[in-house]
């Protein structure tokens, strides 16, 4: 078990210039190891965390050595434990996390422990931002109207989270309507350096959204993880991760006039996708960093998921410190941050000669070479230079259906759909813009592009240009700061005049919360098979994501969103074709309304002020009227409502005792599902809308919920009954037990009946039978999802036997008490002639002390077959989880034992 930190000798004191003590810290220079000077800054943060948390159980000295020796070890795919400094949650993932904490309190109470000891062990920041639906747009009252609808739909979830914010220590809940999680994290929540009880250490964060990486622009190491990893981290458990390679990305020069940060990020995204950075860190450096604002860096870091990297990291330098002051962090805090980072070799000073760092591979970009561009029509990395857009659009119409094609015949390309919009005759052509949205954390945190968009609107209004009334325009800032600086510059009125009214503060069009488009426009599109377009300042534009009726979706800078809204089409060459006709009858071109870099810089400098950030985030801590009026119980134990279809007490701790259940094999289990290769977490986990004929729909209807109020699986993640019924409910799942039939069904082996997966699992459980799953290679690949492990556990699955597992999903299965086993090399269900109709007995030792990570075990079937598998408990910590029946049970018993 844990021992005292073997690196206590390098614990040093950081002093103030006046001689007072700032705090203690683990000093990297005190290791006197020359290898550290060559390490990328992002790897140094992993190193500091490993040293500070080293206890020779969860984190070992050999893990520290692996990180110090990164240049040698990283190509070998070695695993290390990592303990982030804090956890960032959103409402969809926050609800099940708080449900689990509430259940743990109940279990602790039932076992005679002090239930109030169940609290996050690291700071948890939970931002409610995923529920803003653009139901109302182009209206002065849009914010209030959309907020009221949001509270009506989600009142129960919001009330539960509000209870959690009061019941648990170390948890901050940011109310709905405050902003987008990643912008709030950047402007307010990001600490850069923690000073906790006199211990100084770098801020690092894992979040339950892939764009958590935006904080990397602030020099805070952060990335997205699944719900179980996030819960484990907040309960003080280490995350297992592969020590990543680091791509060094050198920037030089400066952006040309008229080129935006969005143009830069789309260029970087394309370069990195081509280079191949999946599973790697990207670290930016070079003289070009001097010319890159913090907001520009954050824009690049935000799109790490789109270029495939775990992080796009910008080490802390003077630009970072200036931004911290701008956003209202105190002078003392900024001084502490600089002093600590300089002392621990985590600060970059570009006024000094740079020591040479080693990277796994290298890329370089001269910022002068970046040109205006957009990306689409279906993928973020399909960049199109603006000067080539018209030709590219026509090529897309011609090409066969694919990422760059719509297969529209030549004779149909000039089709005009006539319709009537609110009594006025109107026309629609292929490529016409029906949604134009300034949205998404990627861009709304960047004052230069937001104010640039406002200047485009101002010039357009002064020349008499207008946006067609059927274009659904919207502006969804990532925080209230944007509203303040737009109003301070007297610029919001010009955006309003073009229909870009503020609709709310949160994720909107970028995640599909576009709301409906006008019925007449929708009918014109569907009845004439038109390829309508959406232009948005987001980070994802996959087909069907933005809106079901916009087949072409382009990512663009906020100023270009305004420009395309004015043009009304993506079928335009901005260099040679006018954007419209002014009130004087003259043609107006894009260059006539595009601001210079100097104009943008001037409005940023005069209108983006520290007091705006302070006022905005002081208001967040006070809440808003609708949030403040939510009535919630005051107790520290949650009063579960058995009639609720949103929040339900899961059975994780039913009949739990203080004695761990210990190691256990599986005896006579039936095969619930028999899969081939590449079953993803999308196949396993409940996601999207609830199908009318599904077990989850039946459950809701039995409880009086009307079909129109089903909402999504995401919104009901706090109800285990619904999520269990949605597990393996994917309509495209292929189960070999069905002999070629596709869909969420399986065979109940004893009777031969074809049932839904949930009904079959329920039948097995009622009969007292365990179940297992057979699978091929890469089981659990894709995005990490907590319910991809929680769901199978609730269905009664005791083990998964696969050719190979996705790394995080395997860890999640262990965390939920499910045994992961791998066939031996060259073997699988087919070579062993397993049909899935057998019964399986897995012979595990009865004591966890007799199990070694990665040892072999035998599996025997009822028809006489026997084969050997490798049990995939990969660490001693995972064996401890298995001994206790899962990670949550392990934490509860440890907390009780530690206080007895």
């Amino acid at each position: 078990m844990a021992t005292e930190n073997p690196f206590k000798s390098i614990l040093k004191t950081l002093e103030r210039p006046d001689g007072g003590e700032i705090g203690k810290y683990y000093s990297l220079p005190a290791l006197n190891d020359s290898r550290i000077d060559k390490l990328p800054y992002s790897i140094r943060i992993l190193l500091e965390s490993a040293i500070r948390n080293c206890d020779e159980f969860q984190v070992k000295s050999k893990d520290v050595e692996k990180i110090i020796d990164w240049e040698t070890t990283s190509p070998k795919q070695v695993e290390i434990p990592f303990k982030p400094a804090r956890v960032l949650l959103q409402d969809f993932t926050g609800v099940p996390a708080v449900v689990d904490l509430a259940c743990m309190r109940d279990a602790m109470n039932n076992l005679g422990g002090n239930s109030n000891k169940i609290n996050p062990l690291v700071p948890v920041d939970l931002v409610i931002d995923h529920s803003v639906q653009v139901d109302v747009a182009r209206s002065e009252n849009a914010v209030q109207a959309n907020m009221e609808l949001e509270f009506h739909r989600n009142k129960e979830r919001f009330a539960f989270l509000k209870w959690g914010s009061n019941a648990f220590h170390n948890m901050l809940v940011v109310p709905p309507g405050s902003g987008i999680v990643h912008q709030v994290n950047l402007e307010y929540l990001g600490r850069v350096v923690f000073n906790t009880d006199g211990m100084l250490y770098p801020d690092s964060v894992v979040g339950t959204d892939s764009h958590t990486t935006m904080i990397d622009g602030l020099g805070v190491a952060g990335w997205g993880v699944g719900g179980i990893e996030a819960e484990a981290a907040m309960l003080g458990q280490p995350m297992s991760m592969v020590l990543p390679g680091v791509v060094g990305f050198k920037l030089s020069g400066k952006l040309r006039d008229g080129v935006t940060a969005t143009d830069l990020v789309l260029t970087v995204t394309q370069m990195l996708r081509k280079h191949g950075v999946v599973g790697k860190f990207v670290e930016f450096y070079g003289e070009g960093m001097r010319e890159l604002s913090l907001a520009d860096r954050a824009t690049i870091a935000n799109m790490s998921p789109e270029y495939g990297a775990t992080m796009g990291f910008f080490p802390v330098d003077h630009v970072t410190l200036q931004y911290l002051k701008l956003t209202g962090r105190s002078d003392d805090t900024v001084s502490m941050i600089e002093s600590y980072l300089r002392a621990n070799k985590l600060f970059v000073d570009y006024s000094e000669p740079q020591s040479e760092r080693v990277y796994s591979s290298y890329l370089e970009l001269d910022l002068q070479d970046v040109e205006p561009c957009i990306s689409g029509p279906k993928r973020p990395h399909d960049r199109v230079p603006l000067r080539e857009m018209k030709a590219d659009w026509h090529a897309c119409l011609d090409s066969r259906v694919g990422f760059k094609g719509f297969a529209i015949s030549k004779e149909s390309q000039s089709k005009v759909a006539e319709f009537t919009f609110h009594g006025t005759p109107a026309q629609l052509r292929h490529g016409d813009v029906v949604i134009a949205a300034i949205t998404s954390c990627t861009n709304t945190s960047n004052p230069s592009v937001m104010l640039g968009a406002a200047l485009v609107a101002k010039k357009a209004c002064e020349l008499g240009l207008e946006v067609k009334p059927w274009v659904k325009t919207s502006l969804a800032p990532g925080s209230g700061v944007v509203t303040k600086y737009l109003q301070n510059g007297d610029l919001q009125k010009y955006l309003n005049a073009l229909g870009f009214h503020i609709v709310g503060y949160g994720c909107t069009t970028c995640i599909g919360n576009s709301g409906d488009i006008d019925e007449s426009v929708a009918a014109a599109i569907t009845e004439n098979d038109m390829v309508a377009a959406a232009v948005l300042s987001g980070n994802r534009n996959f087909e069907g994501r933005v809106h079901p009726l916009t087949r072409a979706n382009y990512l663009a800078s906020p100023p270009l969103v305004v420009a395309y809204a004015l043009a009304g089409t993506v079928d335009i060459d901005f260099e040679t074709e006018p954007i419209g006709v002014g009130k004087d009858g003259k043609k107006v071109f894009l260059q006539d309304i595009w601001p210079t870099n100097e104009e943008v810089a001037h409005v940023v400098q005069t209108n983006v002020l520290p007091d705006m950030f302070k006022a905005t985030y002081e208001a967040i801590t006070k809440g808003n009227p609708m949030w403040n009026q939510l009535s919630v119980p005051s107790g520290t134990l949650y009063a579960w409502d058995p009639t609720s279809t949103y929040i339900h007490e899961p059975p994780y701790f039913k009949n739990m005792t203080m004695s761990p259940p210990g190691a256990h094999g599986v005896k006579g289990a039936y095969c619930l599902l028999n899969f081939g290769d590449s079953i993803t977490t999308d196949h396993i986990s409940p996601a999207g809308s609830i199908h009318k004929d599904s077990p989850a729909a039946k459950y809701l209807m039995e409880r009086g919920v009307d079909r129109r109020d089903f909402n999504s699986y995401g919104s009901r993640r706090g109800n285990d009954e619904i999520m269990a019924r949605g597990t393996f409910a994917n309509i495209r799942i292929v189960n070999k037990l069905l002999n070629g039939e596709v869909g969420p069904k399986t065979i109940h082996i004893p009777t031969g009946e074809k049932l839904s997966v949930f009904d079959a699992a329920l039948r097995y459980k009622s009969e007292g039978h365990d179940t297992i799953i057979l699978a091929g290679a890469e089981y659990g690949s894709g995005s990490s999802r907590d319910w991809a492990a929680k769901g199978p556990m609730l269905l009664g699955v005791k083990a998964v036997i696969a050719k190979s597992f996705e790394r995080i999903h395997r860890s999640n299965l262990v965390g939920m008490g499910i045994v992961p086993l791998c066939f031996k090399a060259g073997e699988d269900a087919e070579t062993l002639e397993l049909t899935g109709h057998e019964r399986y007995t897995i012979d595990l030792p009865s004591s966890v002390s007799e199990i070694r990570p990665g040892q072999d075990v035998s599996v025997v079937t009822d028809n006489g077959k026997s084969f050997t598998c490798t049990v995939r408990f990969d660490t001693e910590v995972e064996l401890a989880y298995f001994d206790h029946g899962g990670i949550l049970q392990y934490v509860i018993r440890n907390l009780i034992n530690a206080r007895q």
Side-chain angles (χ1 to χ4, degrees), residues 294-615:
L294 196 291
D296 289 356
R297 298 174 183 192
T299 300
I300 295 170
N302 176 282
M303 284 190 73
S304 294
E306 281 67 48
Y307 45 80
T310 303
M311 280 205 303
F313 188 73
F314 292 81
V316 176
D317 60 12
H318 284 106
V319 173
T320 320
L321 302 180
Q322 290 163 8
Y323 180 82
L324 291 171
K325 290 180 179 178
L326 170 68
T327 49
R329 275 79 161 192
S330 71
D331 288 345
D332 283 350
T333 298
V334 176
S335 176
M336 177 272 290
I337 289 168
E338 182 176 6
S339 298
Y340 166 76
L341 294 175
R342 283 186 181 276
N344 223 9
K345 292 192 174 181
L346 294 168
F347 186 86
V348 180
D349 190 336
Y350 286 104
S351 66
E352 299 175 353
Q354 296 299 298
S355 60
E356 188 173 330
R357 293 182 296 283
V358 174
Y359 293 108
S360 309
S361 60
Y362 297 82
L363 279 175
E364 185 168 355
L365 174 65
D366 186 339
L367 298 175
Q368 183 76 21
D369 295 336
V370 178
E371 60 179 322
C373 58
I374 62 177
S375 277
K378 302 181 186 183
R379 294 190 300 185
H381 53 281
D382 288 333
R383 187 180 68 90
V384 186
L386 207 57
R387 57 186 166 78
E388 298 174 11
M389 179 55 197
K390 189 177 179 78
D392 191 84
W393 171 251
H394 284 276
C396 287
L397 290 179
D398 290 336
S399 300
R400 62 186 176 85
V401 174
F403 293 123
K404 294 287 288 185
F406 298 105
I408 304 297
S409 63
K410 286 289 186 185
E411 58 270 22
S412 298
Q413 289 182 17
S414 56
K415 181 195 284 188
V416 178
E418 307 278 353
F419 68 104
T420 302
F421 181 80
H422 296 202
T424 304
Q427 295 180 333
L428 203 66
R429 294 175 172 81
H430 291 296
D432 276 6
V433 175
V434 297
I435 292 176
I438 299 175
T439 180
S440 171
C441 49
T442 309
N443 285 291
T444 63
S445 60
N446 194 322
S448 65
V449 291
M450 296 301 285
L451 286 164
L455 289 175
V456 169
K458 179 176 185 287
K459 290 170 184 275
C461 288
E462 289 169 349
L463 290 170
L465 298 183
E466 295 179 347
V467 174
K468 292 182 177 72
W470 57 81
V471 180
K472 187 167 188 178
T473 43
S474 62
L475 167 58
S479 84
V481 175
V482 179
T483 301
K484 284 184 168 60
Y485 62 63
L486 286 172
Q487 290 175 341
N488 195 66
D490 199 26
L491 292 167
Q492 181 64 52
K493 64 185 182 185
Y494 299 110
L495 288 163
N496 288 352
L498 299 182
F500 288 95
H501 297 84
I502 294 174
V503 294
Y505 300 89
C507 289
T508 57
T509 310
C510 195
I511 60 160
N513 286 351
S514 307
D516 295 332
I517 57 177
D518 190 88
E519 287 181 6
S520 63
V521 179
I525 295 170
T526 54
E527 291 169 10
N528 295 278
D529 195 28
M530 305 303 290
V531 182
V535 182
L536 62 151
S537 62
N539 46 46
R540 289 186 179 166
N541 57 335
F542 306 120
E543 191 169 13
R545 180 184 177 93
V546 173
H547 192 282
L549 297 182
T550 56
R551 279 193 271 169
N553 301 281
Y554 286 94
L555 306 182
S557 66
L560 277 177
V561 171
V562 176
Y564 274 110
L566 289 162
T569 180
V570 296
D571 186 7
I572 183 172
D573 181 342
F574 280 132
E575 290 187 3
T576 61
E577 295 178 272
I579 206 166
V581 177
K583 57 190 174 186
D584 59 1
K586 293 182 179 177
K587 294 177 180 178
V588 177
F589 291 83
L590 181 62
Q591 64 189 29
D592 299 325
I593 59 173
W594 199 263
T596 64
N597 285 12
E598 287 73 23
E599 286 177 289
V600 173
H602 176 71
V603 292
V604 169
Q605 192 170 358
T606 54
N607 293 298
V608 184
L609 307 170
D611 286 347
M612 294 177 177
F613 292 89
K614 289 178 182 174

Side-chain angles (χ1 to χ4, degrees), residues 690-698 701 707 710 744-745 756 759:
I690 297 172
H691 193 271
K692 63 182 175 63
D693 297 322
S694 66
K698 181 183 177 186
M701 287 188 287
R707 185 177 164 191
F710 279 4
K745 302 278 186 181
S756 72
D759 288 339

